[in-house]
Amino acid sequence: MSHPSTSHTPATPSDDPVEAVVQYIPVVLPVVGGIMIFLLAMIAVTMA
């Protein structure tokens, strides 16, 4: 009997675009949140 391949990891790395973006989410999310808060505050002060 031969040894079956039980490895669940692919031999080649995947080119999934989602996996490429996921590593930047912890940096991008707070930055975009800060920009949104600043813009909303600026709009509120301008309208007041």
Side-chain angles (χ1 to χ4, degrees), residues 29-47:
L29 217 57
V31 170
V32 171
I35 292 170
M36 289 294 294
I37 290 172
F38 174 75
L39 289 175
L40 289 171
M42 188 176 68
I43 291 168
V45 169
T46 305
M47 292 180 68

Side-chain angles (χ1 to χ4, degrees), residues 12-45:
T12 58
S14 64
D15 295 330
D16 189 9
V18 174
E19 290 181 9
V21 173
V22 165
Q23 63 183 346
Y24 299 113
I25 288 177
V27 176
V28 173
L29 217 57
V31 170
V32 171
I35 292 170
M36 289 294 294
I37 290 172
F38 174 75
L39 289 175
L40 289 171
M42 188 176 68
I43 291 168
V45 169

